[in-house]
Amino acid sequence: MVSIRLDKVTKRFGKVVAVNNVSLEIEDGKLYVLLGPSGGGKTTTLYLIAGIYKPTSGRIYFNEKDVTDLTPAERNVGLVFQNYALYPHMKVYDNIAFPLRLRKEPKSKIDSKVHEVAKFLRIENLLDRYPHQLSGGQQQRVALARALVKEPSVLLLDEPLSNLDALLRVYIRAELKRMQQDLGITSVYVTHDQSEALAIADKIVVINKGIIQQEGTPEQIYENPRNVFVATFIGNPPMNIVKGTVLEDGTIETTGSRLTPPPAVLEKIKRLKLKNILMAFRPENAVVSEHPMEGRFSPMGDLFEVEPLGRDAVVTVTVGEFVIKVVMPTREAMQLRIGSKVHVNIDPSTIKYFDPNTELNLEYIEA
């Protein structure tokens, strides 16, 4: 078992700061997903853990051993890349065996380990084929086998499913999660696909502009985002944002509808002297209707579009300067008229409140 710790790690490429003063602890035996947009710093962070990049400043530890100046081989990491990086002139057997041959392991041990890992990943029948004779999913398993055969202390995966079609991605990610749990190996997985992160992670680390925005379980990240960026990056569709005006009596008004926030929220609004507030809610926590619903916060807007997606539909409503998306049953959504005035009826208990100045969730601001 290996835990990983990054202590105030920064990586610069010339004037570009790719990773900015990142501190992170990765628990042993867990699967951590580094999630963020392209150019956010997640792959650079992975390469720093691997030893491919050396930090400009800060230190990296494996089980409290300083590995900052060690090579990837000395760190004993297994790497799986986006393009699989298989040797086209070698058969599957030889691709898997390659790291062991570099170590000059005995032939009998190599043969035993290659067949063992091939059996585990169900590719024993592919050992005599060349990479060009394999499907994308099969090549991905071979790349995994090559990473696992040397029994790495840490498994690092850089967008390993991005070259697969959508249906195969869903299938393979379930296999990856099962494999990681079976092996109990500390794993760090990079992706820009938030649904992938929510499906497989023990912990998600959201990174943007080289800075960690939030770390937590998938449930914590989804239900209680730390800031507006996380709220609008996670979810499909992501969280909706509307702006409200704070009135003198403590209520919040948006396009004719008023809401009384919870006492703890109102107390922070008063302490921060906020005149406006951002409110966020998930698309599944609202219903669009022609009339306001009792017990709901019901700002009014214009119905822009209805997109049927089978059982459910995505309903788009413009509320002032904001575009709102609501997920509701297709049968109900199709009864609404495009261009009509409608109410977005939001369950008040699901609303999160954000400071419009810092874009921080008020729950993360100390009282």
Side-chain angles (χ1 to χ4, degrees), residues 60 144 183 209 247 254 333:
I60 300 171
L144 271 171
L183 295 175
K209 297 179 180 178
L247 304 179
T254 298

Side-chain angles (χ1 to χ4, degrees), residues 266-324:
L266 183 57
E267 184 180 331
K268 287 185 181 179
I269 288 173
K270 289 179 177 178
R271 183 172 63 80
L272 295 169
K273 299 178 180 178
L274 299 177
K275 301 298 182 184
N276 297 295
I277 194 77
L278 296 178
M279 294 172 287
F281 62 96
R282 290 285 173 200
E284 63 269 24
N285 292 328
V287 175
V288 176
S289 65
E290 293 183 351
H291 304 285
M293 296 171 62
E294 187 176 351
R296 298 282 182 119
F297 178 51
S298 304
M300 187 169 64
D302 298 302
L303 183 62
F304 181 77
E305 186 59 275
V306 175
E307 302 169 77
L309 300 174
R311 182 187 64 181
D312 293 324
V314 177
V315 180
T316 304
V317 181
T318 56
V319 177
E321 64 186 285
F322 296 95
V323 176
I324 305 301

Side-chain angles (χ1 to χ4, degrees), residues 72-87:
E74 291 170 321
R75 297 184 193 195
N76 190 29
V77 297
L79 280 161
V80 180
F81 296 99
Q82 179 177 341
N83 63 0
Y84 314 132
L86 301 177
Y87 298 108

Side-chain angles (χ1 to χ4, degrees), residues 171-226:
Y171 177 72
I172 295 291
R173 78 187 185 196
E175 284 196 334
L176 273 173
K177 179 65 175 175
R178 176 196 58 81
M179 179 205 75
Q180 190 275 332
Q181 290 175 331
D182 288 349
L183 295 175
I185 186 171
T186 305
S187 302
V188 184
Y189 186 110
V190 161
T191 185
H192 65 274
D193 185 333
Q194 45 87 19
S195 60
E196 200 167 278
L198 290 168
I200 68 172
D202 292 313
K203 291 280 185 71
I204 295 174
V205 181
V206 183
I207 300 178
N208 186 40
K209 297 179 180 178
I211 298 170
I212 292 178
Q213 304 294 315
Q214 186 173 359
E215 175 194 346
T217 64
E219 293 77 15
Q220 290 168 339
I221 298 287
Y222 187 81
E223 298 293 345
N224 200 21
R226 183 176 179 272

Side-chain angles (χ1 to χ4, degrees), residues 31-219:
L31 173 57
Y32 275 61
V33 173
L34 305 182
L35 174 67
S38 297
K42 55 191 185 298
T43 294
T44 301
T45 302
L46 187 84
Y47 287 1
L48 287 164
I49 295 171
I52 295 172
Y53 294 155
K54 185 176 178 181
T56 306
S57 61
R59 312 302 294 178
I60 300 171
Y61 300 87
F62 283 13
N63 281 348
E64 296 307 315
K65 176 185 177 182
D66 190 336
V67 299
T68 310
D69 298 316
L70 299 184
T71 66
E74 291 170 321
R75 297 184 193 195
N76 190 29
V77 297
L79 280 161
V80 180
F81 296 99
Q82 179 177 341
N83 63 0
Y84 314 132
L86 301 177
Y87 298 108
H89 63 289
M90 292 184 184
K91 291 184 176 181
V92 168
Y93 181 100
D94 298 309
N95 265 283
I96 298 172
F98 188 75
L100 300 180
R101 287 175 177 155
L102 282 180
R103 290 182 178 178
K104 302 189 185 311
E105 299 277 5
K107 285 185 178 181
S108 59
K109 184 176 181 180
I110 291 173
D111 189 65
S112 172
K113 283 197 160 295
V114 168
H115 280 92
E116 180 184 345
V117 74
K119 182 179 180 181
F120 178 74
L121 291 169
R122 301 195 298 279
I123 53 172
E124 277 186 297
N125 61 323
L126 306 178
L127 293 176
D128 202 40
R129 297 187 192 179
Y130 288 97
H132 73 270
Q133 297 174 308
L134 307 178
S135 68
Q138 290 169 336
Q139 290 186 51
Q140 191 259 7
R141 287 189 184 92
V142 175
L144 271 171
R146 187 179 58 189
L148 293 172
V149 75
K150 61 180 184 176
E151 298 180 350
S153 302
V154 174
L155 181 62
L156 306 175
L157 306 108
D158 185 16
E159 306 226 27
L161 308 184
S162 59
N163 288 339
L164 304 179
D165 63 66
L167 187 61
L168 188 56
R169 271 205 306 272
V170 172
Y171 177 72
I172 295 291
R173 78 187 185 196
E175 284 196 334
L176 273 173
K177 179 65 175 175
R178 176 196 58 81
M179 179 205 75
Q180 190 275 332
Q181 290 175 331
D182 288 349
L183 295 175
I185 186 171
T186 305
S187 302
V188 184
Y189 186 110
V190 161
T191 185
H192 65 274
D193 185 333
Q194 45 87 19
S195 60
E196 200 167 278
L198 290 168
I200 68 172
D202 292 313
K203 291 280 185 71
I204 295 174
V205 181
V206 183
I207 300 178
N208 186 40
K209 297 179 180 178
I211 298 170
I212 292 178
Q213 304 294 315
Q214 186 173 359
E215 175 194 346
T217 64
E219 293 77 15

